[in-house]
Amino acid sequence: MDKAFYFYHVTSKAIRTRLTTTKALVPQIHSPRSEWMWLLDSKYKNKIPKGVWFCSTLYNGGLPTISPYGTERVRMPIEKVLGQLGGGFSLYHARDAQVQANTYVRLMVVKDGDDFDCLEYMEKINPRKNDWLQLVSNSEFKVAKRPKWVEIYYPYEVDITDGEWDSLD
């Protein structure tokens, strides 16, 4: 596993302009363009809440230089994103998808005390002991190495005031 410091969200140039003004990632209806991109099997699509996608996987020790989701990326320290929940959280393993040599692992972060219909189709996992994203301490995390790509579904608004933007092109 690699040490992970950031959750990053990739988007288009047009959306970046809006996000830099609003300073927030607002949960959206989950409607991916391909079947393998679903958080859960698409037959449960009505149970999936609005959310924001992040990734945490590194590419050869650094952040990836390409993405199918756009060329603009905002990255936030993981502890700042989780800290916006105001307390504890639970981690759920949703669905994995195999695409060529890559395995896309879908996890969902849920604020303690919150409940979503989709959770009945997921496995609650220990944030300190799992194969994908581990909480080592409040400010230290580890993430699985490629060819596993760990994607995080976050069903809450995210303040990105302190986010760092860069372009992949």
Side-chain angles (χ1 to χ4, degrees):
M1 296 187 89
D2 285 325
K3 282 190 177 185
F5 300 98
Y6 300 103
F7 281 163
Y8 53 91
H9 175 84
V10 181
T11 191
S12 67
K13 288 183 182 189
I15 294 175
R16 175 182 174 167
T17 300
R18 182 174 46 107
L19 294 176
T20 55
T21 302
T22 62
K23 303 277 190 220
L25 294 173
V26 178
Q28 303 292 313
I29 293 172
H30 179 61
S31 56
R33 62 181 182 259
S34 297
E35 182 66 29
W36 69 268
M37 296 174 159
W38 281 92
L39 176 68
L40 296 169
D41 188 293
S42 62
K43 69 183 177 184
Y44 303 118
K45 63 184 169 187
N46 294 330
K47 303 222 180 243
I48 301 171
K50 292 180 180 180
V52 174
W53 279 107
F54 289 102
C55 192
S56 59
T57 303
L58 301 177
Y59 183 80
N60 297 334
L63 293 176
T65 57
I66 61 170
S67 172
Y69 304 110
T71 60
E72 305 301 302
R73 173 175 56 208
V74 61
R75 61 183 178 263
M76 293 282 299
I78 295 171
E79 69 267 18
K80 286 200 176 207
V81 174
L82 297 177
Q84 291 183 34
L85 297 175
F89 69 92
S90 295
L91 195 58
Y92 289 83
H93 180 221
R95 153 179 199 231
D96 296 348
Q98 189 71 36
V99 179
Q100 298 174 353
N102 296 309
T103 301
Y104 292 85
V105 177
R106 305 314 184 332
L107 304 177
M108 184 170 163
V109 173
V110 177
K111 181 179 178 178
D112 280 352
D114 284 0
D115 189 28
F116 296 96
D117 291 341
C118 63
L119 297 180
E120 69 181 289
Y121 304 103
M122 297 181 195
E123 172 191 8
K124 187 173 183 179
I125 60 173
N126 184 331
R128 294 187 181 277
K129 295 180 183 176
N130 66 76
D131 294 331
W132 309 291
L133 180 67
Q134 292 179 2
L135 170 67
V136 177
S137 72
N138 286 341
S139 61
E140 188 178 345
F141 302 85
K142 289 184 180 179
V143 67
K145 291 185 180 192
R146 293 181 28 245
K148 290 183 181 174
W149 288 90
V150 179
E151 297 180 319
I152 297 91
Y153 197 67
Y154 191 88
Y156 309 99
E157 185 169 307
V158 182
D159 179 343
I160 57 170
T161 302
D162 297 327
E164 296 176 22
W165 285 95
D166 64 351
S167 292
L168 304 178
D169 58 356

